[in-house]
Amino acid sequence: MKGVILAAGKGSRLYPVTRIVPKPILPIANRLTVEYAFDRLKEIGIHDICIVVGENEPQMRAALGEGRQFDVHLTYVRQEEPKGLAHAVGFAKDFVGGDPFVLYLGDSVYAEGFAKYAERFRESGCANLNIVKEVEDPSRFGVANVIGERIVKLVEKPKNPESNLAMAGLYFFGPQLWNVLPTLKPSWRGEYEITDAIQALIDTGETVLAGIYHNVWFDTGTLDSYLETSAFLVEDGTLVDPSSTVHGHIGDKVVIGPGAHVECDLIEDSVVLPGAHVKVSGIIRHAILGGPVSSDGDVDSTILHGEYTE
């Protein structure tokens, strides 16, 4: 089995930080976001991984290389235009060949691995097994309608959901996927949806299964979700790299990266990126800070990167 990580997105909800640092290599708890994907794939025996990149390709290659330092082997393919997940995965067809593979969304972080789901996929012989999770607001997600273990219908961001099982960003596929991708049409969003590809598998009589995930899953793409993920990974405590310096009180849920320098009255529920130089006359709260940042007052509920200019 091979791995495919989708990492071509712009990460616009984390601008301006992701104008400087592509989201897949943005540190969370002082590790690159994509390292958590590598961990989960290696746990199920996958070391041969294709990363679908976009305009972030030079930075991604510079940061990850061939993957040796992460005990993986990386192949890069480029999606020139963001036309959806099903469009992106199509660029990995030559890499995957006729093998089964795991499709992993590069900004997802999971508290638990997928060994039992990989085993179920292998033993079932199904065309597709999707990780799904019960959520309070399924209208924000692709939603799976399930009978028993089988997925019988998928709806992308339904206004009136018939199920609370959200697609949770990890998919096991057999080579049957390649038969349906050419049949897809753009959705109302103008994108080729992975949910439409899976629905096409269902409509052509293939077996599609749901693997219900019971642990915590994070999408790290917004300020709130990024900081929530960071706090979870440090167990609501602090992680201050020994090479950084901090002048001020450090509260809970704080991560300060290597080589950073911070001056403030108090910092809490925040992340300071590697090499940042932060000087705030007041409190830093609920923020992501990178580069040179200075303020004569509090910094609250914001994302700043001093190296980015319009």
Side-chain angles (χ1 to χ4, degrees), residues 221-239:
T222 67
L223 171 63
D224 290 346
S225 61
Y226 175 93
L227 290 176
E228 183 185 13
T229 308
S230 176
F232 171 81
L233 291 171
V234 299
E235 299 178 340
D236 289 342
T238 61
L239 177 62

Side-chain angles (χ1 to χ4, degrees), residues 6 52 79 81-93 101 103 105 171 173 177-178 180-182 184-186 189 191-198:
L6 301 187
V52 182
Q79 180 190 27
E81 298 179 73
K83 294 184 178 180
L85 302 186
H87 179 256
V89 74
F91 290 92
K93 181 178 179 181
F101 69 100
L103 179 64
L105 303 189
Y171 316 80
F173 283 110
L177 177 66
W178 309 124
V180 300
L181 284 187
L184 300 183
K185 301 287 192 296
R189 300 193 302 171
E191 297 187 353
Y192 295 89
E193 310 284 358
I194 198 68
T195 46
D196 288 346
I198 296 167

Side-chain angles (χ1 to χ4, degrees), residues 265-278:
D265 293 340
L266 165 69
I267 180 170
E268 61 183 9
D269 188 25
S270 295
V271 172
V272 177
L273 298 178
H277 194 282
V278 177

